[in-house]
Amino acid sequence: MTAERRPHPVTGAAFASPVPPGTGWPDDPAETDTPVAHDAADVERLAATAPDLEELTARQSVCRACPRLVEWREGVAASPRRSFAGQPYWGRPVAGWGDPAPAVMIVGLAPAAHGGNRTGRIFTGDRSGDWLFAALARVGLAVQPTSVSAGDGQRLLGVRVVAAVRCAPPENKPLPAERDACFPWLRREWELCAPTVRSVVALGSYGWTAAVRTLAALGYRIPRPRPKFGHGAEVLLAPPDRSAADWPEVLLIGSYHPSQQNTFTGKLTEPMLDAVLTRAADHAGLPRLPAN
Ligand code: SF4
């Protein structure tokens, strides 16, 4: 941690980087006494026993189970990119964010080192996020076209965004062991949201694989062979065959990831992403804001 305290871009309050929990960062779900996971077994236990989304996201946001990722995220936070040098860096895991009772779940890979790892909100503060939030606003699922910082007034309507891995990895490449260690956070978050989720948008093949793995772990019936990722690929999945689980069936839809590599080359265009989000919203029966 750097002792230097820098002002938050929205509130102006000064924070160390990484940000200590419970010190007033906008939307910080954790308190000073939130339990901390120090290894994969802790993640399993603390995820399984989190009684609700509020406590789950708090526990996610202070996790220290992956030594390589903790070192990386905190090192980046202590040495910001020059263009963000005046800002504090969140430097902690980035929890799922959005509607607490979502009809549409969007699944990505992991926060970016100078995006979510800086702002504390998933897909916020980097080019991929700029694309995603602009698209969500265009199709009427976000109240504003930008998401620049926690506390900026952005709000998603019936949509929640989650990452398969909650800490920014070096070169955007988590190790399989890190992906597996983080999986219980995703599974529990999805389980708590499952009563309302009707559509899932998987960003890229990594998001698709994570979504299929999570749905399988929760008992949704997955066809064999497992469905393959593609842009616009769709598969309708029946809920678990358990009378206690009154969950709807889920439409899983693939989208190319809005990475710069895909958007700069035209592999993913705005109409393509808008069409996927519209399909997800319409399947889920979500009311949408008029186009803005
Ligand atoms: Fe914890 Fe997940 Fe971050 Fe690993 S990647 S430290 S499990 S939040």
Side-chain angles (χ1 to χ4, degrees), residues 37 39-40 43 59-70 73 92-94 111 164-168 174 177-185:
D39 57 31
V43 174
R59 294 178 182 187
Q60 290 172 357
S61 78
V62 295
C63 180
R64 304 183 68 80
C66 304
R68 186 184 79 117
L69 297 187
V70 172
R73 77 189 192 209
R92 287 165 41 198
V94 181
V165 175
R166 274 134 216 271
C167 292
E178 293 161 349
R179 177 203 59 203
D180 291 348
C182 210
F183 181 65
W185 293 134

Side-chain angles (χ1 to χ4, degrees), residues 152-268:
D152 63 357
Q154 178 59 287
R155 195 161 52 86
L156 299 181
L157 307 171
V159 175
R160 190 170 187 84
V161 185
V162 295
V165 175
R166 274 134 216 271
C167 292
E171 298 177 355
N172 288 325
K173 286 186 186 146
L175 301 173
E178 293 161 349
R179 177 203 59 203
D180 291 348
C182 210
F183 181 65
W185 293 134
L186 177 62
R187 185 182 58 209
R188 180 64 177 148
E189 184 160 353
W190 205 305
E191 185 177 27
L192 289 167
C193 295
T196 57
V197 173
R198 293 179 181 275
S199 299
V200 176
V201 174
L203 300 176
S205 61
Y206 200 101
W208 178 272
T209 302
V212 171
R213 181 185 183 189
T214 310
L215 288 159
L218 292 175
Y220 288 82
R221 279 168 271 165
I222 312 292
R224 292 199 175 272
R226 287 199 168 192
K228 282 202 168 63
F229 171 75
H231 183 86
E234 289 189 6
V235 56
L236 194 59
L237 300 172
D241 191 15
R242 292 182 250 132
S243 55
D246 187 19
W247 298 348
E249 63 182 4
V250 158
L251 181 68
L252 171 63
I253 313 172
S255 170
Y256 291 138
H257 192 285
S259 64
Q260 280 181 265
Q261 196 182 352
N262 287 339
T263 56
F264 276 17
T265 58
K267 184 174 180 182
L268 179 67

Side-chain angles (χ1 to χ4, degrees), residues 39-57:
D39 57 31
D42 284 352
V43 174
E44 189 75 56
R45 177 177 53 83
L46 290 173
T49 57
D52 51 37
L53 265 186
E54 213 173 333
E55 178 63 18
L56 181 74
T57 53

Side-chain angles (χ1 to χ4, degrees), residues 97 121 133 137 142-149 151-156:
W97 186 78
R121 185 193 287 162
F133 280 99
V143 299
Q144 59 191 40
T146 59
S147 179
V148 294
S149 182
D152 63 357
Q154 178 59 287
R155 195 161 52 86
L156 299 181

